Amino acid sequence: MAPCRVARCSCPRALSWLPVLFVVLVVAWSYYAYVFELCLYTIPSVEEQSICLVTFHLCFAMFMWSYWRTIFTKPGNPAKEFSLTKADREQYEKEQRPEAQQEILKKVARELPVYTCTDTGAIRYCDRCRLIKPDRCHHCSTCNTCVLKMDHHCPWVNNCVGFSNYKFFILFLAYSVLYCLFITATVLRYFIKFWTPCRRTPAEICPQNELPDTHAKFHVLFLFFVAAMFFISLLSLFSYHLWLVVHNRSTIEAFRAPMFHSGPDKNGFSMGVAKNLTQVFGDQKMFWLLPVSTSLGDGHTFPTRLVSADPEQLPADPQSHCRSTGDAPSYRRSLSESQNRLLGNDVPFADEQLDGAAPQTDGSHTVTVSMESES
């Protein structure tokens, strides 16, 4: 019986790698078709071959590097401080009334930097992971774990896209768009030549038609169609995620605004365009285009407009909708140094706030998000 259970468990894991295998095979074929069939066999000029090969390998290296980091970088999981102790967990599971369970969670969450809640104003708690969810954290049913700043589960990388690998995912989309665009632009000339041979003399002796009708023709024609198709689809996905970065939202938050003590606020984590970009790509611009870890923060706490506001402006009873865990100054003191830089005054907050500036995207892009519903 044990071998059967192991086989049933390993089979879905193996199948989950099929989309990644498909991408790798397509990229491997595109490498062969471009380097060998186009550059070395079809392009007659040595100078043009050299330029195409150098530029292609640069795009290819950055594309594969960012793709590799997106696949094998864990998106980030909540720290143990957000998990219930054994005594609290036993007490929580022993209680039958939701009100009593919420009181237990409130007691534990009082020491945690949590500013969001469920739609009903309750503490966001994961029954499977047995922890209080940090802000912007969600449970992924595919990975069966809570993910920090979860964006979505992507089958093409067989991984969740979250706090630790979101920059790599953005760069993966950017370099894949650049990779496809470069192939499409450089193949277009020979694509046209293959389809418009000289009709005045036989193709094999016509000086205007230097491209022999061999197997290279199939690779060049098919390479153009595949690169153009992927370029169009990836460009729309990259544009959408770039819009999310500018407005400091995840895919989940774009479709369901995060709930604060004062109600839902789709721009609750937006600190202005410059600071939003800095949160994802870091404060050193020389590393923005490299798939290395430079994102600011720890994934558990994020600067919010609630934190930046004057504590005296907050409601007298924060528990009226969603409990506030402490005043703003104590929370700001608990932030890391990188987050304190985000909360600085180097960029005017009021001038860059994006209230009402975001276009409606609910119907323009569809992403399947695998996560547990929150009551």
Side-chain angles (χ1 to χ4, degrees):
M1 292 298 293
C4 295
R5 287 196 296 267
V6 172
R8 286 196 298 268
C9 182
S10 60
C11 184
R13 294 181 181 178
L15 293 177
S16 65
W17 286 100
L18 289 180
V20 177
L21 179 62
F22 172 78
V23 173
V24 171
L25 291 177
V26 171
V27 173
W29 168 79
S30 69
Y31 182 91
Y32 166 78
Y34 191 91
V35 173
F36 294 96
E37 298 294 343
L38 178 70
C39 293
L40 300 181
Y41 186 80
T42 304
I43 298 179
S45 172
V46 177
E47 181 179 357
E48 184 179 354
Q49 284 182 358
S50 302
I51 296 175
C52 289
L53 286 173
V54 171
T55 308
F56 172 82
H57 280 92
L58 180 61
C59 296
F60 179 80
M62 297 304 296
F63 164 70
M64 291 304 299
W65 186 10
S66 57
Y67 187 51
W68 177 274
R69 292 303 305 272
T70 306
I71 295 175
F72 294 103
T73 301
K74 293 183 178 180
N77 305 112
K80 62 180 181 179
E81 287 77 13
F82 289 83
S83 300
L84 298 184
T85 63
K86 182 178 180 181
D88 291 331
R89 185 170 65 249
E90 291 177 352
Q91 185 181 2
Y92 176 86
E93 294 174 351
K94 192 177 300 181
E95 292 289 348
Q96 300 297 326
R97 295 180 298 112
E99 297 80 4
Q101 292 179 334
Q102 277 297 304
E103 289 300 324
I104 298 174
L105 296 180
K106 287 179 180 180
K107 182 188 67 174
V108 177
R110 190 173 293 116
E111 304 300 325
L112 298 175
V114 178
Y115 280 84
T116 57
C117 57
T118 65
D119 295 339
T120 59
I123 300 296
R124 299 173 65 244
Y125 178 75
C126 180
D127 291 307
R128 293 191 176 184
C129 298
R130 296 177 176 179
L131 55 80
I132 294 175
K133 297 179 183 179
D135 293 341
R136 316 183 81 176
C137 174
H138 298 276
H139 185 89
C140 175
S141 58
T142 303
C143 299
N144 196 28
T145 186
C146 284
V147 177
L148 296 176
K149 194 186 175 183
M150 179 178 174
D151 188 87
H152 68 286
H153 183 90
C154 181
W156 300 107
V157 299
N158 193 28
N159 197 5
C160 262
V161 177
F163 172 77
S164 299
N165 62 353
Y166 189 60
K167 175 191 174 183
F168 306 148
F169 179 73
I170 296 295
L171 292 179
F172 157 63
L173 294 178
Y175 287 121
S176 61
V177 169
L178 181 63
Y179 180 75
C180 294
L181 177 62
F182 176 78
I183 292 178
T184 304
T186 53
V187 171
L188 178 61
R189 172 186 172 187
Y190 299 94
F191 173 83
I192 297 175
K193 278 190 174 184
F194 272 125
W195 279 105
T196 57
C198 180
R199 301 182 182 277
R200 293 178 298 178
T201 56
E204 58 272 9
I205 61 174
C206 178
Q208 297 184 19
N209 183 16
E210 302 174 356
L211 304 179
D213 190 9
T214 61
H215 59 85
K217 179 178 181 179
F218 165 78
H219 287 284
V220 172
L221 297 181
F222 196 58
L223 182 63
F224 176 82
F225 282 118
V226 172
M229 178 185 65
F230 275 99
F231 169 74
I232 295 173
S233 59
L234 289 171
L235 180 61
S236 61
L237 183 61
F238 171 67
S239 301
Y240 175 74
H241 278 279
L242 194 60
W243 180 87
L244 291 177
V245 171
V246 168
H247 292 81
N248 204 341
R249 302 178 195 171
S250 65
T251 300
I252 298 175
E253 293 166 351
F255 289 96
R256 185 177 62 197
M259 185 71 67
F260 294 89
H261 72 279
S262 56
D265 187 355
K266 62 182 180 180
N267 291 319
F269 295 104
S270 180
M271 306 296 289
V273 175
K275 293 182 180 179
N276 293 341
L277 290 171
T278 303
Q279 280 194 41
V280 176
F281 294 101
D283 51 9
Q284 300 185 41
K285 295 183 178 180
M286 60 183 297
F287 297 114
W288 278 20
L289 299 181
L290 297 178
V292 294
S293 299
T294 56
S295 299
L296 300 186
D298 56 7
H300 296 83
T301 56
F302 299 89
T304 67
R305 294 193 291 178
L306 170 64
V307 173
S308 301
D310 187 350
E312 297 181 359
Q313 300 294 327
L314 299 178
D317 182 15
Q319 296 185 15
S320 60
H321 191 85
C322 176
R323 188 190 56 79
S324 176
T325 58
D327 56 12
S330 63
Y331 174 65
R332 290 185 62 169
R333 286 196 297 270
S334 70
L335 293 176
S336 62
E337 179 184 353
S338 60
Q339 290 170 310
N340 284 326
R341 289 200 298 271
L342 286 175
L343 288 171
N345 297 321
D346 53 328
V347 181
F349 172 74
D351 293 340
E352 291 190 337
Q353 194 56 46
L354 300 171
D355 291 333
Q360 184 60 254
T361 62
D362 290 342
S364 61
H365 178 71
T366 303
V367 178
T368 301
V369 178
S370 180
M371 52 173 285
E372 296 296 321
S373 59
E374 298 172 0
S375 57

